[in-house]
């Protein structure tokens, strides 16, 4: 598919689905916005600071209402959306969250109503990335994937489909030069691989070591890293008492907030910054991999970019590997 065809395809999606969200580039600031023309779509070499997480797990979501003896589950309307241009990390994050929220009807409904279109990095960056061949794509959740062909003067793309919805859309547009990839589940045959397996042991061993005390002196517990992280999925339950009813919602939470681990009676399991920052790494590099056989971090770098204290996840992992 060439550039012009891609633009026409995006216009076709807008005409048929109406709600198309894509990266937009406002003087170098990449954000995700609803677009109204194929021309508004930009392929971004850089991922946006905020991921597509909010489309599947909104920051605040009404779950149910209680009134007298009646409980009413919130049935949000079926709004069909197209999410265009998810980077590789965000597809990996979506695949992980789909495992975690496998039985959650709210998440699953949003996933069913979304057409997810992923993109490989544009050619200028391509050598830094692995090839998006079948063995990578078959473990990712997506409907359509655009692989930028390297070394092309004119932009062109190899097109993959990952679902019948994706195929139907391309067929409807009249484009059939695509390769279908069947989703075979999130975990590759090789499992976690040597580095992630080593990290499980090393992070466990680092519990109580000086790195966490040092980091706790810098960390301000602001929680920004958890907000931008595409794999952070923790929430709190909020009950709002109205005149005749109680509305129950779930809201994003952060394990860096003091009250996150508080239980009845006021006990807090994570009662210091040192424990909280270790918990963040333990969850991503020990508990999630052990439970789901997938890394809990997709290496997007957002947490490092946003941290006001200059805490660098990569540097810390390097140190943990060297010192333990
Ligand atoms: S690099 Fe940071 S923000 Fe990105 S997935 Fe890993 S922990 Fe989350
Ligand atoms: S963004 Fe940085 S300072 Fe804020 S909670 Fe995360 S690690 Fe701590």
């Amino acid at each position: 598919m060439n550039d012009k065809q891609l633009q026409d395809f995006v216009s076709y999606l807008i005409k048929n689905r109406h709600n198309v969200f894509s990266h937009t580039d406002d003087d170098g600031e990449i954000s995700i916005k609803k677009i109204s023309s194929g021309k508004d779509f930009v392929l971004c070499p850089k991922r946006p600071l905020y991921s597509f997480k909010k489309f599947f797990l909104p920051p605040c979501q009404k779950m149910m209402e209680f009134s007298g003896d009646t409980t009413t589950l919130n049935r949000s309307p079926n709004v069909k959306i197209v999410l265009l241009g998810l980077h590789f990390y965000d597809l990996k994050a979506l695949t992980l969250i789909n495992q975690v929220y496998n039985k959650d009807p709210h998440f699953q409904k949003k996933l069913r109503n979304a057409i997810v279109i992923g993109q490989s990095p544009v050619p200028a960056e391509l050598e830094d990335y692995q090839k998006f061949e079948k063995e990578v794509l078959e473990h990712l959740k997506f409907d359509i994937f655009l692989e930028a062909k390297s070394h092309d003067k004119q932009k062109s793309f190899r097109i993959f489909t990952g679902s019948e919805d994706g195929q139907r859309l391309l067929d409807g547009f009249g484009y059939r030069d695509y390769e279908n990839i069947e989703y075979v589940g999130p975990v590759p045959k090789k499992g976690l691989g040597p580095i992630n397996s080593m990290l499980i042991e090393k992070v466990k061993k680092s519990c109580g070591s000086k790195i966490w005390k040092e980091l706790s002196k810098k960390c301000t517990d602001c929680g920004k890293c958890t907000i931008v992280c595409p794999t952070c999925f923790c929430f709190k339950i909020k009950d709002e008492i109205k005149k005749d009813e109680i509305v129950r919602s779930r809201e994003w939470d952060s394990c860096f907030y003091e009250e996150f681990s508080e239980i009845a009676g006021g006990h807090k399991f994570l009662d210091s910054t040192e424990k909280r920052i270790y918990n963040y790494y333990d969850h991503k590099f020990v508990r999630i991999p052990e439970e789901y056989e997938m890394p809990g971090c997709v290496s997007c770098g957002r947490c490092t970019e946003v941290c006001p204290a200059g805490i660098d996840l990569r540097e810390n992992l390097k140190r943990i590997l060297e010192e333990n």
Side-chain angles (χ1 to χ4, degrees):
M1 189 180 271
N2 62 33
D3 228 7
K4 170 78 175 68
Q5 284 171 310
L6 180 57
Q7 214 176 79
D8 291 345
F9 179 55
V10 175
S11 298
Y12 169 82
L13 292 173
I14 292 169
K15 206 170 143 208
N16 287 280
R17 286 240 169 193
H18 307 299
N19 294 300
V20 179
F21 295 86
S22 163
H23 299 132
T24 54
D25 187 346
D26 300 322
D27 290 332
E29 194 176 315
I30 313 295
S31 47
I32 301 167
K33 288 190 184 146
K34 190 170 170 179
I35 56 170
S36 53
S37 152
K39 288 186 189 136
D40 296 341
F41 169 56
V42 282
L43 267 176
C44 284
K46 190 176 180 291
R47 46 103 189 109
L49 185 56
Y50 294 95
S51 73
F52 287 83
K53 176 170 79 172
K54 66 175 181 191
F55 291 98
F56 302 101
L57 293 176
C60 180
Q61 184 169 26
K62 195 161 113 181
M63 313 288 288
M64 56 187 77
E65 288 165 11
F66 310 104
S67 180
D69 292 339
T70 315
T71 300
T72 315
L73 290 178
N74 178 41
R75 298 196 196 286
S76 53
N78 278 313
V79 181
K80 301 272 182 200
I81 58 170
V82 176
L83 301 176
L84 196 48
L86 275 80
H87 276 245
F88 187 49
Y89 337 89
D90 288 344
L91 289 181
K92 277 166 102 177
L94 177 61
T95 307
L96 169 65
I97 293 188
N98 180 46
Q99 289 306 104
V100 178
Y101 281 74
N102 212 346
K103 295 198 172 90
D104 181 79
H106 303 279
F107 174 87
Q108 291 301 329
K109 185 173 179 179
K110 291 203 178 291
L111 188 60
R112 275 196 307 278
N113 281 328
I115 290 289
V116 174
I117 304 184
Q119 69 161 84
S120 70
V122 292
E125 279 199 30
L126 203 65
E127 57 261 29
D128 292 341
Y129 290 80
Q130 52 190 304
K131 273 215 151 256
F132 297 92
E133 306 277 0
K134 183 174 174 290
E135 59 268 29
V136 177
L137 292 178
E138 69 185 6
H139 299 293
L140 296 177
K141 290 293 281 180
F142 66 92
D143 295 290
I144 295 173
F145 189 84
L146 316 170
E147 185 195 274
K149 288 187 189 171
S150 54
H151 312 305
D152 269 6
K153 285 227 169 79
Q154 289 199 324
K155 278 189 213 143
S156 64
F157 306 89
R158 204 170 145 202
I159 305 294
F160 296 92
T161 56
S163 73
E164 286 183 8
D165 280 349
Q167 287 171 32
R168 258 195 299 274
L169 277 175
L170 285 163
D171 291 347
F173 172 63
Y175 188 86
R176 292 203 167 72
D177 187 15
Y178 56 77
E179 209 175 303
N180 190 45
I181 302 279
E182 199 179 329
Y183 179 63
V184 295
V187 184
K189 273 202 191 94
K190 66 176 171 51
L192 278 171
I195 294 182
N196 290 309
S197 302
M198 199 194 302
L199 271 172
I200 293 181
E201 297 316 314
K202 298 276 185 178
V203 172
K204 274 185 191 170
K205 256 177 114 179
S206 76
C207 183
S209 70
K210 63 179 181 198
I211 184 172
W212 308 113
K213 193 172 272 320
E214 284 170 27
L215 291 173
S216 74
K217 286 187 185 142
K218 292 193 203 167
C219 174
T220 60
D221 288 315
C222 66
K224 283 171 98 173
C225 49
T226 55
I227 290 167
V228 295
C229 176
T231 66
C232 274
F233 48 73
C234 292
F235 61 82
K236 63 182 169 212
I237 294 291
K238 193 173 147 197
D239 285 338
E240 202 183 335
I241 302 166
K242 299 203 167 168
K243 198 170 163 233
D244 298 318
E245 59 178 13
I246 297 172
V247 177
R248 175 162 291 178
S249 316
R250 69 179 174 205
E251 287 182 1
W252 286 3
D253 204 353
S254 169
C255 53
F256 280 93
Y257 298 158
E258 255 202 275
E259 55 282 9
F260 176 81
S261 65
E262 185 172 354
I263 54 166
H267 179 74
K268 290 173 188 156
F269 289 96
L270 305 172
D271 59 359
S272 66
T273 305
E274 189 180 337
K275 286 185 191 167
R276 289 191 282 274
I277 197 158
Y278 175 74
N279 169 72
Y280 186 76
Y281 285 69
D282 184 55
H283 194 207
K284 301 220 176 282
F285 300 102
V286 179
R287 299 192 322 261
I288 291 179
E290 284 190 335
E291 194 173 348
Y292 296 99
E293 285 186 83
M294 300 168 75
C297 166
V298 295
S299 313
C300 68
R302 288 178 169 109
C303 53
T304 302
E305 185 179 335
V306 83
C307 179
I311 292 174
D312 184 323
L313 181 119
R314 255 174 208 239
E315 287 296 310
N316 296 335
L317 290 178
K318 223 170 120 209
R319 218 181 126 186
I320 290 164
L321 286 172
E322 281 165 9
E323 291 178 6
N324 293 280

